[in-house]
Amino acid sequence: MSISHTLLGLLEAGPRHGYDLKRAFDNHFGQDRPLHYGQVYSTMSRLLKNGLVEVDGIEAGGGPERKRYAITDAGVTDVGGWLARAEKPEPYLQSVLYTKVVLALLTGRDANALLDTQRAEHLRLMRELTRRKLGGDLADQLICDHALFHLEADLRWLELTAARLDRLATEIRS
């Protein structure tokens, strides 16, 4: 995820302090990985340097000064371009799971056991995500659906690999 573009997009609603940006980010996108304050402020510093945001005001308080950031026209253009660009699909051509299967076969370990262990872990996570989805709001449901679809694809791959394991073992050992 592009944190800088996400923060810029959040600023399109109006100027905000770093604290408010972190809270909005965590509320919409950071349920599983909240943003650290240091990340917010280092990102805002970089965006300021690049002319994508400006300081809209400074407030003195009991602690350090609080800067309120606003997006610039260049920032709006940058976010628009980012939103319009398609994300590169991740084909997982160098899968850790594939590497483990091949190494298990090459070292004489039980690749079927490895696949079974992985299948059990995928199913455990799918049950957890399904519970979360059932109790969640629409955003949680969509995020969980995305993860579940990827896990389902992984499960299909695990089944296909298990079915072709003997053939794979023969090919990699020759």
Side-chain angles (χ1 to χ4, degrees):
M1 171 186 304
S2 172
I3 292 171
S4 59
H5 285 112
T6 305
L7 294 177
L8 281 172
L10 290 171
L11 280 173
E12 282 200 45
R16 296 182 189 208
H17 295 97
Y19 173 82
D20 297 325
L21 284 168
K22 180 204 175 340
R23 198 171 57 214
F25 181 96
D26 290 352
N27 184 46
H28 291 293
F29 313 108
Q31 294 90 347
D32 296 318
R33 278 189 169 162
L35 204 54
H36 296 286
Y37 285 106
Q39 247 180 317
V40 173
Y41 293 111
S42 64
T43 302
M44 296 313 295
S45 177
R46 202 168 41 257
L47 293 171
L48 187 62
K49 186 176 106 177
N50 293 333
L52 301 176
V53 298
E54 60 191 9
V55 175
D56 186 57
I58 299 176
E59 298 171 10
E65 292 179 331
R66 293 183 56 196
K67 294 179 184 173
R68 189 174 55 244
Y69 299 96
I71 192 168
T72 63
D73 290 341
V76 172
T77 300
D78 196 57
V79 171
W82 178 68
L83 289 172
R85 276 189 307 275
E87 289 295 312
K88 181 180 177 187
E90 297 176 22
Y92 303 108
L93 291 178
Q94 284 298 324
S95 166
V96 173
L97 294 177
Y98 173 76
T99 301
K100 284 184 164 189
V101 168
V102 170
L103 285 176
L105 292 171
L106 287 172
T107 60
R109 290 181 173 88
D110 187 354
N112 271 313
L114 182 151
L115 292 170
D116 288 342
T117 299
Q118 193 60 52
R119 188 180 301 107
E121 181 59 19
H122 272 63
L123 291 170
R124 182 201 62 74
L125 183 55
M126 289 175 82
R127 285 189 297 275
E128 182 182 311
L129 288 169
T130 300
R131 277 192 299 275
R132 176 177 165 183
K133 178 181 157 180
L134 293 173
D137 60 10
L138 182 57
D140 246 2
Q141 293 168 14
L142 290 170
I143 289 167
C144 289
D145 280 338
H146 185 263
L148 285 164
F149 292 145
H150 282 273
L151 290 168
E152 286 174 12
D154 284 350
L155 278 176
R156 286 194 308 270
W157 181 86
L158 291 167
E159 295 300 325
L160 181 65
T161 302
R164 295 178 175 171
L165 206 51
D166 290 337
R167 192 169 128 208
L168 179 62
T170 302
E171 284 186 20
I172 64 169
R173 290 180 184 146
S174 56

